[in-house]
Amino acid sequence: MSLAETEAHRPLRAKARNVLMGREPDILAEIDAPGVAATIWTRACDQAFQSWIDALPFEQLPELRTIVPVHLAEAAAIAACEQANVPKSPEMDMLTGDVGALAMMLAKSLKVRQVRVRLDVSDEVMCPKFHVDNVPARLLCTYRGKGTEYVPMGHENDQQSVRQVTRGAVALFRGGAWPGEERTGLFHRSPDPEPLSGHRLLLVIDPME
């Protein structure tokens, strides 16, 4: 049973519903502010990188699932690219460097030394229902395809209330295991696939104790 399905059975607690957005990466550290359910770094996607990642055949998109000390996240991404035979280029270095940098930001914001890192490749909807992840927090960044959708709890059936993280932006969502009494009041889900855009490439980073 998902957290979304069991929400009605939980004790009544304060809900965090606010989404903070900013053009600087420091916005991610505001995730522990009262009332904040998510923070989004609204950075622009580099055009050369975007063209490069869109042109990669789907079999060369790197996939990764690992738990590593935060300083090894970039090395893990490099290994995943090598395994997928991603051609060496400045854009590949941008991708692996970004994975390492975002892992460091998450670790600094949440004061952890280890992270779970995933690079998910899919042409289907991985999480079609609005939900809350059973983790303290989760960082999401879409490198290829459409970004993650989110909505306040209780408005899942109101399409006007649904918002979407832009491609290349970095979103940090509180999860169901967020410490303290204040629970998140925000759901998120994977977007519907775009038939013409091919496979989606999503970075997922979770904090580990």
Side-chain angles (χ1 to χ4, degrees):
M1 185 176 292
S2 71
L3 287 171
E5 291 170 330
T6 60
E7 185 66 27
H9 302 289
R10 296 185 183 280
L12 184 62
R13 300 183 186 180
K15 292 277 179 50
R17 299 179 182 273
N18 295 334
V19 178
L20 299 185
M21 299 184 183
R23 297 183 179 180
E24 300 298 330
D26 292 349
I27 192 66
L28 298 177
E30 297 298 318
I31 191 65
D32 63 352
V36 174
T39 54
I40 301 176
W41 175 19
T42 57
R43 62 179 184 173
C45 190
D46 182 88
Q47 290 299 313
F49 174 82
Q50 185 170 318
S51 297
W52 173 80
I53 199 73
D54 284 346
L56 273 183
F58 79 88
E59 62 269 15
Q60 287 187 317
L61 292 173
E63 295 189 81
L64 176 64
R65 287 177 178 266
T66 189
I67 296 174
V68 291
V70 64
H71 67 279
L72 295 180
E74 181 175 356
I78 292 173
C81 286
E82 291 176 345
Q83 186 172 5
N85 295 316
V86 178
K88 293 185 181 298
S89 65
E91 289 77 20
M92 191 200 86
D93 293 340
M94 289 175 65
L95 173 62
T96 57
D98 196 56
V99 172
L102 293 180
M104 286 287 188
M105 290 178 195
L106 176 73
K108 182 178 179 181
S109 297
L110 301 181
K111 299 177 175 60
V112 296
R113 296 182 179 181
Q114 288 197 107
V115 290
R116 179 188 289 113
V117 183
R118 288 168 29 206
L119 283 168
D120 289 334
V121 178
S122 177
D123 62 349
E124 300 178 347
V125 183
M126 297 185 65
C127 300
K129 294 183 179 181
F130 281 115
H131 65 282
V132 175
D133 298 307
N134 192 21
V135 294
R138 174 162 288 176
L139 183 147
L140 300 172
C141 178
T142 303
Y143 292 120
R144 175 165 152 170
K146 295 196 296 186
T148 300
E149 296 178 344
Y150 60 93
V151 69
M153 288 182 180
H155 295 267
E156 303 91 288
N157 297 321
D158 178 12
Q159 192 59 35
Q160 297 295 323
S161 298
V162 177
R163 298 291 180 265
Q164 188 166 49
V165 181
T166 57
R167 174 178 171 172
V170 183
L172 182 57
F173 290 91
R174 286 192 190 183
W178 181 262
E181 291 299 312
E182 189 179 60
R183 303 196 61 79
T184 183
L186 196 70
F187 283 144
H188 66 273
R189 71 178 178 188
S190 300
D192 290 332
E194 293 177 307
L196 299 179
S197 68
H199 289 66
R200 184 178 185 231
L201 178 61
L202 173 70
L203 172 67
V204 182
I205 307 179
D206 299 332
M208 301 295 294
E209 293 295 336

